[in-house]
Amino acid sequence: MLTIPLDGRAASPLYEQIYQYIRREIESGRLSAGKKLPSKRALSAHLKVSQSTVETAYGQLAAEGYLLARPRSGYYVQRLEAPPPVLRTESSPLPEASAAQTPPFDFSTSGVDTGRFPFSVWAKLTREILCEDARGLLQSVHPQGDPALRREIARYLRDYRGILASPDQIVVGAGSEYLLGLTVQLLGRAKGYAVENPGYPKTRRILEGNGAAVAPIGMDENGLRVDRLRRSGAEVVHVTPSHHFPLGTVMPVSRRAELLRWALEEEGRYILEDDYDSEFRFSGRPIPALQGLDPAGRVIYFNTFAKTLAPSLRIGYMVLPAPLLAVYRRDFLFYSSTVPSFEQHVLRRFLQEGYFERHLRRMRNQYKARRDILLAEFSRRDPGRKLQIQGADTGLHLLVRVCRKEEDELVSAAEANGVRVYGLSAYYQEGAAPKGKGGVVLGYAGLPPEKIGEAVFRLAAAWEL
Amino acid sequence: MLTIPLDGRAASPLYEQIYQYIRREIESGRLSAGKKLPSKRALSAHLKVSQSTVETAYGQLAAEGYLLARPRSGYYVQRLEAPPPVLRTESSPLPEASAAQTPPFDFSTSGVDTGRFPFSVWAKLTREILCEDARGLLQSVHPQGDPALRREIARYLRDYRGILASPDQIVVGAGSEYLLGLTVQLLGRAKGYAVENPGYPKTRRILEGNGAAVAPIGMDENGLRVDRLRRSGAEVVHVTPSHHFPLGTVMPVSRRAELLRWALEEEGRYILEDDYDSEFRFSGRPIPALQGLDPAGRVIYFNTFAKTLAPSLRIGYMVLPAPLLAVYRRDFLFYSSTVPSFEQHVLRRFLQEGYFERHLRRMRNQYKARRDILLAEFSRRDPGRKLQIQGADTGLHLLVRVCRKEEDELVSAAEANGVRVYGLSAYYQEGAAPKGKGGVVLGYAGLPPEKIGEAVFRLAAAWEL
């Protein structure tokens, strides 16, 4: 009979103590395989505990495979495979990825001014939705995203981006990064992919991370060079035609047409149009999206609310052309929507009730004011006209070069003066801009207007303007 | 001089009308490449509009590449590449993927009872967070997820699942599906992957969608057969040891040890432990996770809040062993978090303040009550003891076989009686269960207790019990 020391005042219940004792006996080999345990009745009488206490302990041991229950016979010790050698060391906690120390002025291109996010409106809509539609919020949403949200996005795209898309063609997902990965699954990783060079480094990493081979394609003043794209043999190309990142180039209509012709020359060619900050064009109308010129369904359009609303709101979307939509519907609907229904409902209301357009207008003015201050300050501090500024007509960053100064020098002199600017070279596949093409990228969306004057003053001193 | 018909009362502004007119002239070839346009001053005088109106139109045309602005000279028509042939047809709107018609009783395994979700608590926390931390909510969160949420998850895992993990090791993401795809990127798609057969079909599709080759591995009464896994040559295996889907098997400790030994035999072998409904074990304690037995960092643990809270809340997480964490930190931190910060903050408070554990206890009782009713009803309606029930000790579904009835017959007879049940065959790679091994899977989480009696009554009639 097992004599198990039990402690009625211990934190763990009695069945747990019995379970632990017997488990140790089995693991240590003191109770050997095949041995029959005392009956529940006998053990409970011996230990002076209830039968159900013993039963719970035996049941747990059986469930975990230490005991075998034979009907109308009893419990037997199972043969244990020798457990693997215990080498466990405490997992060495890595430090949290810490933000590098931020200088007083930072022209990061990932900054967004969330200070003007209409938080009280968002909170109000959130509260209303919590009251109205409790149950509906908890059920799975359609894998492509809430249909009502997709209708609102389709309307916005039609009115503001010249895109004719039915809500069916829209796939809402947890950010453009996720959707780009999904696209590789949709188009296949056997195709060759191409990206702009220079370009947004994440794009290449995401494509490669998803198993695609990626060719970097050079740019000229009109954007991606289609002649080089053709020579690369790639079948899918990722472009930012509305506002190239980081050069700021807007792809003119002739290059757009040339790119579309490339896509049409052969079956299976696709253009991934990333329209990431087209909303912030400061003069004239927005440039219509490439997607709107595409007659044959070869453009997949991507956009996100990260720049227009807040980076923490992980909602992006893509517009699939009809032939790809059929493939998506056949093979990919099994994926659950990656965006909580709650966010989808709030965003839907935010679009529906006109808040989004109002917010965009306000932010466009706000960002335009910053750009204007930035340009005016540069003009004022640059009496010798040594600066060359590019890409300032649209969205949230511009490119600056200084006569007879190398990029490295610009970056380090600025840093020494407390201003962080970003060398263009980081955006080149080769890790360096071609000789004489270096420069610095200034993102101004995250920099409050009142700091711009001082930042430019410091840059002018650092760069000896 | 261009004579442009302008309509001051039209919806579109004057600059837009000028822009559209000139654009059409260029596209049609009536204004040919190289031609100089009238000066802004001349055209504005001619059309009797302000100079800035003309300037806006010219600026837009230049931005889109229809005109070239030559400093101190004027605007010239750009040579247009012939645009691609216009074949645009209205995108044929596909029907929304519609739910197939649902019968009165549905034993779907994807159902979750969201009726008991503590909505008012969730709403309260949401409101509090909206008031407290407006700005913090809008900034990007750490790519692995909010550190405070990860601390809460680590605490829960330690207390309830026997898992020692530091918050650093946890990666929060938009559902297990997303995280599984990320794992393929982390481990590489060159490795062979293995899945349980039968098993959850999505797992294989996600692995294959991410470019991995997947081998199905047979099961016995203790779970995945490690001998077959060894012969398959796979290096990574996905398992559901706490409660096999769909067979309901709980992997005993000896098989767990055998599986861990397999992983340790060679470098680069990994076990993906999907602990998807371990929270709903109805007798005794939860079975400790495989991860907790792993001495060498070869188990990646996955879980989700979809089953425990609500499917619409897209929050899952994985626990990376230290060596993989180093790889993740080096190569994958560039991915943004896929979960809105808002949801992360609310969930963190929900865990922190004990609501999650309370909710789990309540749901465990609730689901246990349903399982008990289901088993009692089956027992009552099955006087001839024709039913064989498996996997009822733990979470949310069980497996039923009926003497001398084929699976197809069980499914179709039930459907004819208004009860949807799910054939086991759908979970086999081969599309059919081995002869004599067929059965039906009954998920009872989505079926209200008051409907269970009637559902079983109908099943008993359909199956001639």
Side-chain angles (χ1 to χ4, degrees), chain A residues 40-252:
Chain A
K40 289 176 274 188
R41 177 191 301 258
L43 188 61
S44 66
H46 179 68
L47 297 177
K48 304 196 170 48
V49 298
S50 77
Q51 260 199 61
S52 73
T53 298
V54 175
E55 188 168 353
T56 305
Y58 279 12
Q60 185 69 26
L61 288 160
E64 295 184 13
Y66 291 96
L67 297 181
L68 178 70
R70 295 208 181 118
R72 282 174 299 278
S73 166
Y75 287 85
Y76 295 82
V77 175
Q78 286 268 51
R79 198 173 63 81
L80 285 193
E81 303 278 338
V86 175
L87 326 163
R88 172 175 288 280
T89 48
E90 278 298 283
S91 70
S92 58
L94 299 189
E96 288 291 325
S98 66
Q101 209 190 332
T102 311
F105 302 92
D106 188 348
F107 280 100
S108 163
T109 55
S110 64
V112 169
D113 179 10
T114 54
R116 280 153 209 277
F117 181 82
F119 204 85
S120 57
V121 168
W122 193 266
K124 177 184 78 106
L125 295 177
T126 300
R127 284 189 298 264
E128 285 174 15
I129 279 172
L130 280 171
C131 296
E132 280 163 24
D133 187 24
R135 296 300 152 229
L137 284 176
L138 298 172
Q139 293 303 328
S140 304
V141 289
H142 188 283
Q144 290 184 240
D146 174 48
L149 171 61
R150 286 187 277 131
R151 277 196 294 278
E152 288 304 317
I153 293 173
R155 185 185 59 73
Y156 169 76
L157 289 175
R158 188 192 61 220
D159 294 352
Y160 288 80
R161 302 297 298 125
I163 289 176
L164 272 182
S166 86
D168 302 305
Q169 292 173 266
I170 295 172
V171 179
V172 172
S176 311
E177 300 173 9
Y178 168 75
L179 292 169
L180 189 56
L182 194 60
T183 305
V184 176
Q185 294 188 35
L186 189 59
L187 300 178
R189 50 183 61 77
K191 284 185 197 286
Y193 286 69
V195 296
E196 295 164 328
N197 185 30
Y200 193 48
K202 267 194 190 184
T203 305
R204 183 168 56 82
R205 294 178 76 173
I206 292 166
L207 293 171
E208 287 179 347
N210 281 280
V214 180
I217 307 292
M219 309 274 299
D220 61 19
E221 71 285 1
N222 289 330
L224 180 114
R225 288 188 52 174
V226 178
D227 55 335
R228 294 199 181 167
L229 172 61
R230 194 171 275 117
R231 282 208 302 275
S232 76
E235 290 182 88
V236 184
V237 62
H238 181 277
V239 287
T240 53
S242 297
H243 187 218
H244 176 263
F245 190 88
L247 297 180
T249 320
V250 177
M251 189 185 280

Side-chain angles (χ1 to χ4, degrees), chain A residues 330-350:
Chain A
R330 190 188 66 211
D331 297 336
F332 291 89
L333 276 189
F334 75 91
Y335 277 112
S336 307
S337 171
T338 43
V339 182
S341 65
F342 198 74
E343 249 72 18
Q344 298 195 42
H345 283 83
V346 178
L347 179 59
R348 187 246 308 155
R349 288 276 305 269
F350 195 77

Side-chain angles (χ1 to χ4, degrees), chain A residues 16 64 82 137 285 312 343, chain B residues 137 253 261 285 312 343:
Chain A
E16 171 78 18
E64 295 184 13
L137 284 176
R285 304 180 319 156
S312 67
E343 249 72 18
Chain B
L137 284 176
V253 69
R261 270 208 318 285
R285 303 179 321 154
S312 67
E343 250 72 18

